[in-house]
Amino acid sequence: MIGFQSIAIGSFNIGLLPLVFAIIITMVLGLQIFRKGFWKKIYSDRNISFAGKYLIFIMLPLMARYGADVAPQIREILQVGWVFIIQEIGNLGTVLIGLPIALLLGLRREAIGATLGIGREGELAYISEKYTLESKEGRGVLSIYIIGTLFGAIFFSVFAPLLLDLGIRVEALAMASGVGSGSMMSAASATLVARIPEMESTILAYASASQLLTSFLGTFTMVFLAAPLQRFMYKTLVRGDK
């Protein structure tokens, strides 16, 4: 019923997706003061455990949608395919930069879940399988997932058009939109389309292709590069803490 909401602040349009409102409503109703009667059954330990284990399955239809958006523009995308692959190196930034900062802030094992990536579906699935979402690592990735849902879309809605005004090509920004988050990608690409509506098909195709490759190649980057690098850095920076 709430749907997609757009808030204009000066020359910027901040897009708020339904997912943002769903998270807020769920968090409010989950407060202890509301956990009575019917809501107590909804937020039972059994239901919470079930949601934590099977959250990843509701993300699968989103992957199919990405493929449908990419297909019509596949020739154009293949011409710059190497750029999409190179941008995956950027996924290591959360480990190289984020992990030391998280440790300085006092986090320990929570930092493993919080800095493995941007805390979206791929990281959520990996941490869930390796550590479970009830672990300290699981709490770390869930925290980043929720924060990214609430504020990530807002940040991208402002940041993408700002970079456009600084002279960065819209194709580059569309590719950069696919960071592995459906809400962030949608927010960034929607604001770009609002600014340059005549390039809507190109923007959505580049953003979807980048998102698809990030979801696919990003998994291998995370498992074979980011995770081993993170374990090495964690053992080096936090000696004696398993």
Side-chain angles (χ1 to χ4, degrees), residues 21-94:
F21 298 103
I23 288 288
I24 294 174
I25 292 171
T26 304
M27 289 175 63
V28 171
L29 293 179
L31 294 174
Q32 197 64 40
I33 190 174
F34 293 110
R35 292 196 187 189
K36 299 176 182 178
F38 174 74
W39 290 116
K40 186 176 182 179
K41 295 180 180 179
I42 292 293
Y43 286 89
S44 66
D45 292 340
R46 180 181 178 183
N47 286 343
I48 292 174
S49 176
F50 177 87
K53 290 179 180 178
Y54 299 104
L55 174 66
I56 192 63
F57 287 105
I58 69 173
M59 307 299 177
L60 297 180
L62 189 61
M63 301 298 107
R65 171 61 189 273
Y66 295 154
D69 285 340
V70 169
Q73 306 288 333
I74 190 64
R75 290 182 180 273
E76 185 178 359
I77 290 167
L78 288 176
Q79 293 177 357
V80 291
W82 63 273
V83 179
F84 287 105
I85 296 175
I86 288 178
Q87 77 167 19
E88 289 306 313
I89 299 175
N91 288 342
L92 299 179
T94 57

Side-chain angles (χ1 to χ4, degrees), residues 13 24 33 40 59 63 70 72 85 96 109 112 118 149 151 153 156 159 163 178 198 203 216-217 240 242:
N13 284 312
I24 294 174
I33 190 174
K40 186 176 182 179
M59 307 299 177
M63 301 298 107
V70 169
I85 296 175
L96 293 171
R109 285 172 50 197
I112 295 175
I118 63 169
T149 300
F151 301 108
F156 270 71
F159 199 55
L163 293 179
E198 64 272 16
I203 292 171
F216 177 67
L217 296 178
K242 298 181 180 180

Side-chain angles (χ1 to χ4, degrees), residues 99 108-117 127 131 137 230 234:
L99 181 61
R108 284 298 178 262
R109 285 172 50 197
E110 295 86 353
I112 295 175
T115 64
L116 183 59
I127 294 296
Y131 302 101
E137 293 85 353
Q230 187 187 58
Y234 187 86

Side-chain angles (χ1 to χ4, degrees), residues 192-209:
L192 292 174
V193 169
R195 294 288 296 275
I196 312 178
E198 64 272 16
M199 295 187 65
E200 178 178 3
S201 61
T202 299
I203 292 171
L204 295 180
Y206 274 54
S208 296

Side-chain angles (χ1 to χ4, degrees), residues 83-229:
V83 179
F84 287 105
I85 296 175
I86 288 178
Q87 77 167 19
E88 289 306 313
I89 299 175
N91 288 342
L92 299 179
T94 57
V95 175
L96 293 171
I97 301 173
L99 181 61
I101 293 176
L103 295 176
L104 286 174
L105 292 174
L107 297 179
R108 284 298 178 262
R109 285 172 50 197
E110 295 86 353
I112 295 175
T115 64
L116 183 59
I118 63 169
R120 306 319 297 167
E121 291 77 24
E123 291 79 18
L124 200 65
Y126 180 84
I127 294 296
S128 175
E129 288 292 325
K130 189 171 180 64
Y131 302 101
T132 77
L133 292 180
E134 288 74 28
S135 65
K136 292 182 178 180
E137 293 85 353
R139 288 199 294 272
V141 72
L142 273 176
S143 298
I144 296 299
Y145 184 85
I146 293 174
I147 291 172
T149 300
L150 291 175
F151 301 108
I154 297 175
F155 175 81
F156 270 71
S157 295
V158 175
F159 199 55
L162 178 62
L163 293 179
L164 185 64
D165 290 337
L166 292 176
I168 296 179
R169 291 182 58 177
V170 67
E171 293 90 345
L173 292 174
M175 291 168 61
S177 300
V179 294
S181 165
S183 59
M184 295 178 195
M185 185 271 286
S186 299
S189 58
T191 54
L192 292 174
V193 169
R195 294 288 296 275
I196 312 178
E198 64 272 16
M199 295 187 65
E200 178 178 3
S201 61
T202 299
I203 292 171
L204 295 180
Y206 274 54
S208 296
S210 178
Q211 178 74 5
L212 185 65
L213 284 173
T214 298
S215 300
F216 177 67
L217 296 178
T219 300
F220 294 97
T221 303
M222 173 182 64
V223 173
F224 295 111
L225 293 178
L229 176 63

